[in-house]
Amino acid sequence: MSIKVLLADDSALVRSAIRRLLSDQPEILLIGETSDFAQTLQMTHDLRPDIVVLDLHMSDSTLISPEDFRTRLNHGSTRVLAISIWHDDETQALAERFGAAKLLDKVNLGTDLIPTILQLAGPRSAPQ
């Protein structure tokens, strides 16, 4: 069975690069793309992905708090993999407030994204 991934990033360039990375992985199925938090919540509800790859700094981030996003997201079966261009303590804390199981630096997505998706899709572990 494929790992269903929803991609949420407001940069078309980043979405395109991630789409290319995922396209070579037969065990990973990209089921949708979104560019804002509101649409991410709706698509998560409708599509029930296993993992949401979530840009923490999308342009509509002031419209929803991380805690509200986390509460409204279907966490029963969906894991959040946060991505950001920043990888400092403040961003790590933000990722945790969003309920992310892991935070990846966008600079390293080429090497880290696929292994992390495979890891998160395995048996559930405590958020890092």
Side-chain angles (χ1 to χ4, degrees):
M1 182 183 285
S2 295
I3 302 163
K4 298 182 296 181
V5 173
L6 175 63
L7 173 56
D9 195 301
D10 59 353
S11 167
L13 182 62
V14 171
R15 287 195 315 273
S16 176
I18 292 174
R19 187 181 321 114
R20 279 194 303 271
L21 288 170
L22 298 180
S23 69
D24 292 336
Q25 303 300 315
E27 66 274 27
I28 299 173
L29 177 63
L30 181 61
I31 60 170
E33 297 181 28
T34 174
S35 60
D36 63 55
F37 287 104
Q39 188 179 28
T40 301
L41 288 169
Q42 185 61 51
M43 290 181 77
T44 298
H45 179 266
D46 294 345
L47 300 175
R48 305 276 189 223
D50 299 307
I51 296 173
V52 174
V53 176
L54 179 71
D55 174 15
L56 295 178
H57 303 286
M58 288 191 282
S59 58
D60 68 333
S61 64
T62 59
L63 302 178
I64 186 168
S65 72
E67 293 79 11
D68 190 30
F69 180 89
R70 182 179 186 168
T71 299
R72 293 172 54 193
L73 187 72
N74 172 24
H75 271 299
S77 60
T78 300
R79 308 290 302 273
V80 174
L81 171 54
I83 59 174
S84 178
I85 59 172
W86 295 287
H87 201 73
D88 54 17
D89 291 342
E90 184 177 328
T91 306
Q92 181 63 47
L94 181 62
E96 290 170 9
R97 289 180 28 225
F98 270 102
K102 186 86 173 176
L103 170 64
L104 294 181
D105 189 327
K106 286 185 180 182
V107 172
N108 298 321
L109 289 179
T111 57
D112 295 347
L113 182 64
I114 302 305
T116 304
I117 288 174
L118 296 174
Q119 175 192 16
L120 292 179
R124 302 292 186 200
S125 60
Q128 297 181 3

